[in-house]
Amino acid sequence: METPSNEVFRDSIATINEEGKRSWIFPKKPSGPLYEKRKVVSYFLLAFLFLSPFIKVNGNQFLMFNVLERRFNIFGFPFWPQDFHLFVVSMIIGVIFITLFTVGFGRIFCGWICPQTIFMEMVFRRIEYWIDGDRNKQMRLDRQKWDAEKIRKRLIKWFIFLIISFLISNIFLAYLIGSDKLLRYVKEGPSEHLGTLIPLAIFTGVFYFIFAWFREQVCIIACPYGRLQGVLLDTKSIVVAYDHKRGEGENGRKKFRKNEDRQALGHGDCIDCFQCVHVCPTGIDIRNGTQLECVNCTACIDECDTIMEKINLPKGLIRYASEENIEKKTPFKLTARMKGYIAVLVILIGVLLGMLALRNDVEARVLRLPGQLYEHKENNIISNVFTYKLVNKTSETIEDVSFKLRGIDGTIKLVSATGEVTVDAQGLAEGTMFIEMKQSAIGGDKKKIRIDVYSGEQLIETTTVSFLGPRSFN
Ligand code: SF4
Ligand code: SF4
């Protein structure tokens, strides 16, 4: 089916030319109130990203995602593999929250919060403006032959980009292996930790490739969240939108002419100055309508508002609005779909809070030693051998740990040189134990027994296990 003529812009993306080659975007430097606000948000988030691996709460790193050792800290709370269910529920909540937010407010996350946009627009692009100048100067430099000026500017820029990419990689490593370990590795020198240095170099290369070359392609081609927009957005979603009713009028947009009565001539308020297109970091023309490439960065809103101000027309020709907003002038309303997402979200948050409240600081697991049944000892004593594992999720050492049988006659003997069990803060203690009981107390070939774990006199955890005995035939 042939694309309608007013939709042909959807046949290709702005960053690829007709020969299928990369079409480099030279966006104009944004300016305006929204850009200033985005700067504040971005610098706050950057400070958060760079500092949180070095912040400690009760001795725990504020945020840590140690996938290799399967240890996670979220807001200073340590999570173990045993808390995986909490992790899964948190992830589902995160996905529903983002979905709900996207249905309501489109790709606002991309423009204001996404690290890709923040690093690209607020760090790398700003360095580029500082070294190469604004859009026109960048285009001229690009066409320029490789003279001393171009070589100098390019080398400085690439070197700074590389340093920042290396810094970002180190921060990611601090999230992955922990900041204490990272600082220790730095102190001991890279030659001592080649196994870490190699992935660090690979990450640096990936970040450099993304921010120096791949850039907006991440949002347009690679990001799965961007791809979701097609199914999540509807005509009620608030997005960065061009008010085509106002901009086009009855007789379309037209270049500005002083002292011309545009209204009388039926022309819209858009003066076809192309500033919204020039400022766009993904190279699109928002006047064509909502497009997958738009990361809601608001640069075109600021730019068009500046133009409107200059020609004495009301601001907001490009603004945050929904399609219905523009077509029917209706205000924002919660749709049935949004209400459904909100209900699910509230329920899941309730479930998560309940699970967090019931979460134990100590986790005990007692398991039968594989391949072992029971041993018949003198005086009709039956013995079973088990392994135990104690996980201490707190930041304090648990001392003087003992195990006691609850409501049943029997003894527990730990296989330990000292007979003492201690679990380090954030640590794990493992060992073997024998449980012995009179055959008469078992009352069959299997009995469920309850084991209490104490620290001194304080009961810290309870677990159950099956005790095996000989089958009785009477
Ligand atoms: S900046 Fe505003 S006036 Fe200029 S082309 Fe874009 S929409 Fe039209
Ligand atoms: S269309 Fe506007 S909001 Fe969307 S990416 Fe371009 S400049 Fe940013």
Side-chain angles (χ1 to χ4, degrees):
M1 202 173 78
E2 212 172 299
T3 316
S5 59
N6 60 346
E7 296 275 319
V8 281
F9 66 91
R10 296 199 196 275
D11 289 348
S12 59
I13 53 174
T15 50
I16 310 280
N17 66 20
E18 278 171 7
E19 287 112 52
K21 292 204 182 109
R22 174 79 178 274
S23 187
W24 199 263
I25 308 278
F26 298 97
K28 187 179 172 208
K29 189 175 175 188
S31 62
L34 281 169
Y35 185 61
E36 291 306 315
K37 284 189 186 115
R38 275 181 60 221
K39 268 204 264 181
V40 173
V41 174
S42 300
Y43 294 143
F44 170 76
L45 290 175
L46 282 172
F48 181 81
L49 180 83
F50 276 79
L51 292 179
S52 51
F54 300 95
I55 297 173
K56 296 271 173 81
V57 179
N58 294 330
N60 300 320
Q61 188 167 315
F62 188 61
L63 285 176
M64 185 174 76
F65 306 95
N66 192 336
V67 187
L68 300 176
E69 290 173 17
R70 291 181 294 156
R71 286 175 56 191
F72 305 90
N73 289 353
I74 298 172
F75 302 130
F77 288 106
F79 286 85
W80 284 74
Q82 286 81 353
D83 297 318
F84 190 68
H85 56 294
L86 295 175
F87 199 68
V88 171
V89 176
S90 314
M91 286 292 127
I92 298 173
I93 290 177
V95 170
I96 294 180
F97 179 74
I98 291 176
T99 308
L100 169 70
F101 208 71
T102 311
V103 170
F105 303 102
R107 231 173 149 170
I108 208 167
F109 166 85
C110 303
W112 291 80
I113 297 167
C114 175
Q116 161 69 22
T117 314
I118 291 179
F119 274 117
M120 189 64 245
E121 302 306 322
M122 296 297 170
V123 179
F124 290 88
R125 194 91 75 186
R126 284 175 67 80
I127 291 168
E128 195 161 72
Y129 290 131
W130 172 58
I131 296 171
D132 294 349
D134 208 344
R135 172 181 159 85
N136 292 338
K137 283 190 179 160
Q138 285 185 17
M139 288 162 85
R140 206 178 313 129
L141 191 69
D142 187 58
R143 286 193 301 267
Q144 198 168 309
K145 64 177 183 353
W146 282 93
D147 56 8
E149 185 203 7
K150 184 163 173 172
I151 293 172
R152 177 175 50 83
K153 285 189 170 172
R154 286 289 187 263
L155 286 182
I156 293 175
K157 186 169 84 175
W158 292 338
F159 178 69
I160 297 178
F161 280 10
L162 195 66
I163 297 290
I164 298 175
S165 303
F166 180 68
L167 269 178
I168 300 173
S169 305
N170 274 277
I171 292 300
F172 271 79
L173 201 61
Y175 279 102
L176 279 180
I177 63 170
S179 55
D180 290 345
K181 218 183 225 180
L182 176 75
L183 293 175
R184 183 159 56 81
Y185 284 8
V186 171
K187 234 189 241 165
E188 288 167 0
S191 57
E192 298 281 314
H193 301 284
L194 279 181
T196 309
L197 191 67
I198 293 165
L200 192 69
I202 295 172
F203 274 121
T204 304
V206 170
F207 285 127
Y208 181 80
F209 167 77
I210 289 175
F211 294 115
W213 192 80
F214 202 52
R215 305 191 151 199
E216 70 290 333
Q217 305 287 84
V218 172
C219 317
I220 298 175
I221 300 169
C223 175
Y225 178 62
R227 310 266 69 71
L228 272 176
Q229 306 305 308
V231 284
L232 293 179
L233 297 188
D234 60 21
T235 53
K236 293 181 181 76
S237 309
I238 303 275
V239 289
V240 172
Y242 166 69
D243 187 338
H244 56 94
K245 288 255 171 192
R246 185 186 143 194
E248 304 298 305
E250 275 169 24
N251 293 327
R253 57 186 88 139
K254 185 177 179 279
K255 294 272 179 216
F256 180 72
R257 273 218 207 123
K258 241 182 172 180
N259 303 326
E260 188 179 58
D261 189 349
R262 297 174 68 90
Q263 241 175 356
L265 293 169
H267 291 299
D269 284 354
C270 174
I271 60 167
D272 214 11
C273 64
F274 274 89
Q275 292 310 303
C276 53
V277 182
H278 292 161
V279 83
C280 178
T282 60
I284 58 168
D285 187 341
I286 191 68
R287 296 171 302 167
N288 287 329
T290 304
Q291 291 151 76
L292 211 64
E293 296 94 320
C294 175
V295 291
N296 278 226
C297 74
T298 71
C300 55
I301 299 184
D302 275 337
E303 203 59 27
C304 188
D305 279 350
T306 310
I307 300 292
M308 292 295 115
E309 236 174 0
K310 279 186 189 154
I311 58 172
N312 271 329
L313 285 175
K315 292 183 193 175
L317 179 55
I318 302 175
R319 62 177 186 275
Y320 279 121
S322 70
E323 185 57 34
E324 281 203 357
N325 234 200
I326 290 169
E327 283 286 346
K328 304 178 191 160
K329 302 217 179 311
T330 48
F332 174 73
K333 259 199 316 221
L334 282 181
T335 61
R337 182 154 68 135
M338 286 181 204
K339 284 178 192 162
Y341 283 134
I342 291 173
V344 176
L345 198 62
V346 170
I347 292 170
L348 280 175
I349 290 175
V351 170
L352 182 69
L353 290 177
M355 285 167 130
L356 281 173
L358 294 172
R359 173 181 180 258
N360 283 352
D361 280 345
V362 181
E363 195 102 26
R365 188 166 294 178
V366 178
L367 294 171
R368 170 171 309 287
L369 199 67
Q372 301 290 319
L373 287 175
Y374 62 88
E375 194 187 339
H376 207 142
K377 292 183 149 184
E378 279 175 13
N379 301 327
N380 268 345
I381 299 285
I382 306 296
S383 168
N384 280 200
V385 61
F386 297 93
T387 57
Y388 66 84
K389 206 179 249 187
L390 289 175
V391 176
N392 178 4
K393 300 175 189 172
T394 69
S395 50
E396 275 162 32
T397 305
I398 300 176
E399 288 171 337
D400 191 17
V401 176
S402 59
F403 299 85
K404 288 178 189 162
L405 293 174
R406 189 193 288 187
I408 195 157
D409 229 10
T411 50
I412 296 181
K413 289 179 184 163
L414 297 183
V415 183
S416 142
T418 56
E420 277 176 21
V421 177
T422 304
V423 199
D424 291 338
Q426 297 289 307
L428 178 87
E430 297 179 88
T432 308
M433 63 162 77
F434 286 95
I435 301 180
E436 294 180 351
M437 287 199 303
K438 278 227 153 79
Q439 187 176 354
S440 55
I442 306 169
D445 59 349
K446 199 179 201 182
K447 186 171 183 69
K448 211 168 201 116
I449 53 172
R450 192 172 282 271
I451 301 170
D452 289 337
V453 186
Y454 285 84
S455 167
E457 292 301 310
Q458 192 193 351
L459 176 70
I460 51 172
E461 170 68 322
T462 296
T463 183
T464 54
V465 70
S466 287
F467 190 91
L468 300 182
R471 190 162 288 184
S472 81
F473 295 100
N474 45 10

